[in-house]
Amino acid sequence: MAGWPLGVACLGGVTVLLFWAALYDIATRRVSDRLVLCVALLDFLLACLGGYPWRGVLSGFCLFVLGVICWSRGWMGGGDAKLLGAVGLALRPGQVPALVLNIALVGGVLALGYLLGRAALPLRHGRAAPRNRVQRILRIERWRLHRGCPLPYVCAITGGSLIVFL
């Protein structure tokens, strides 16, 4: 029971980092290697506190391999694959199917939202520069919707992971 406050702190840190990664992915369609490393370290610490570090490494490795397969087929980006492996470090092998299922479901909702957004938001060609960062990101997202750019799949990884973690 001595590791309980540290475990809660690690889980809180992972949650904040995953939300940060999702926002960063929306804005830039990139995933920071430093952020993935921080998630991996906190998740491995969670596995150590839970008493299953080697099972966590096995889960993380399996999810990383799955991510690399998806990356090689063009279904997700390399940063997404790395983050998927990092998230897996906190899981027991029996939790991996639940994580994959939840990520797929959240990804489906994300894709549906983007399809609906593409139909609902007309592409504007205004010359006025956005006044703040949020308006700039929204303008870029509208442009990405109409160009058929890739989804910010870190959002799906974040949502599916938090469902399994919490």
Side-chain angles (χ1 to χ4, degrees):
M1 203 63 164
W4 186 77
L6 183 58
V8 171
C10 287
L11 188 58
V14 167
T15 301
V16 168
L17 288 173
L18 287 174
F19 274 114
W20 180 257
L23 290 173
Y24 192 75
D25 192 32
I26 290 170
T28 65
R29 292 300 194 269
R30 302 189 79 179
V31 182
S32 165
D33 287 339
R34 290 182 185 155
L35 195 134
V36 171
L37 180 63
C38 290
V39 169
L41 290 173
L42 287 175
D43 280 343
F44 183 70
L45 184 56
L46 277 170
C48 289
L49 291 172
Y52 54 93
W54 296 114
R55 288 184 281 172
V57 169
L58 177 64
S59 298
F61 179 74
C62 290
L63 284 166
F64 178 70
V65 168
L66 177 67
V68 169
I69 291 169
C70 291
W71 168 78
S72 70
R73 296 180 184 268
W75 298 339
M76 72 171 31
D80 301 332
K82 290 183 281 189
L83 186 63
L84 187 60
V87 164
L89 290 171
L91 302 176
R92 294 178 180 91
Q95 295 174 300
V96 170
L99 177 71
V100 173
L101 177 65
N102 283 307
I103 289 173
L105 290 173
V106 173
V109 171
L110 178 69
L112 182 62
Y114 267 72
L115 285 173
L116 293 174
R118 185 175 185 178
L121 296 173
L123 184 61
R124 296 185 200 155
H125 297 287
R127 299 274 185 211
R131 287 177 282 211
N132 61 39
R133 189 170 294 185
V134 173
Q135 287 178 339
R136 181 174 180 266
I137 291 170
L138 291 174
R139 183 176 182 180
I140 291 169
E141 280 304 302
R142 182 182 300 122
W143 180 83
R144 286 178 179 152
L145 280 170
H146 290 280
R147 298 276 301 191
C149 292
L151 296 175
Y153 210 71
V154 170
C155 297
I157 294 171
T158 297
S161 299
L162 293 178
I163 290 169
V164 172
F165 287 159
L166 304 176

